[in-house]
Amino acid sequence: MSGSTLGLRGGTAPPPSRNAAAAVDPQIDRIVRTPEFQQLVAERTRFGLILTILMLVVYFGFIGLIAFDKSLLAVKVGGGTASLGLFMGVFVILFAFALTGVYVARANTRFDALSDALKRSVGR
């Protein structure tokens, strides 16, 4: 199989042509041009970037504290053996779970509604 790729049924498929990008399915092109699709993509991208930035700030803030202020993280909390660093580490993990929950909630409400509107507009 030198230089060929497997097709869906196990045979060899010809290599993609150079004009594969130019030969876009007209239905896909029609969907991409709809305002509903563009709104869905814009909102999902914006929301994803916001959540990503929040997670990066929390994570790298914690890593920065580890690197530059170890004494703060070593402070004992509540008179026990647990330190502030332990609680902050657990917070970073729980924050990631919370952001996942926020995204799922948004996807199940707003993004699903936009997807349904898109399906209605293209006639499916």
Side-chain angles (χ1 to χ4, degrees):
M1 288 196 333
S2 61
S4 64
T5 59
L6 287 177
L8 292 177
R9 298 187 186 254
T12 57
S17 67
R18 294 177 197 222
N19 293 334
V24 175
D25 185 9
Q27 185 171 358
I28 292 173
D29 190 42
R30 183 175 61 110
I31 292 170
V32 169
R33 286 193 316 250
T34 61
E36 292 86 358
F37 179 79
Q38 292 173 359
Q39 181 183 6
L40 175 63
V41 169
E43 285 189 27
R44 279 182 40 182
T45 301
R46 188 176 331 112
F47 192 64
L49 283 174
I50 290 169
L51 295 183
T52 300
I53 289 168
L54 284 172
M55 189 66 228
L56 288 174
V57 166
V58 168
Y59 178 75
F60 284 113
F62 179 64
I63 297 300
L65 281 175
I66 291 171
F68 298 112
D69 200 358
K70 291 179 184 169
S71 61
L72 174 67
L73 296 176
V75 171
K76 301 295 181 195
V77 176
T81 58
S83 67
L84 183 60
L86 174 70
F87 288 107
M88 292 179 84
V90 170
F91 170 76
V92 171
I93 294 167
L94 293 177
F95 188 74
F97 280 109
L99 286 184
T100 302
V102 167
Y103 183 83
V104 168
R106 182 75 173 263
N108 288 339
T109 55
R110 179 70 182 153
F111 299 152
D112 280 354
L114 288 172
S115 294
D116 291 340
L118 175 63
K119 288 175 189 174
R120 283 191 303 275
S121 75
V122 295
R124 283 191 181 213

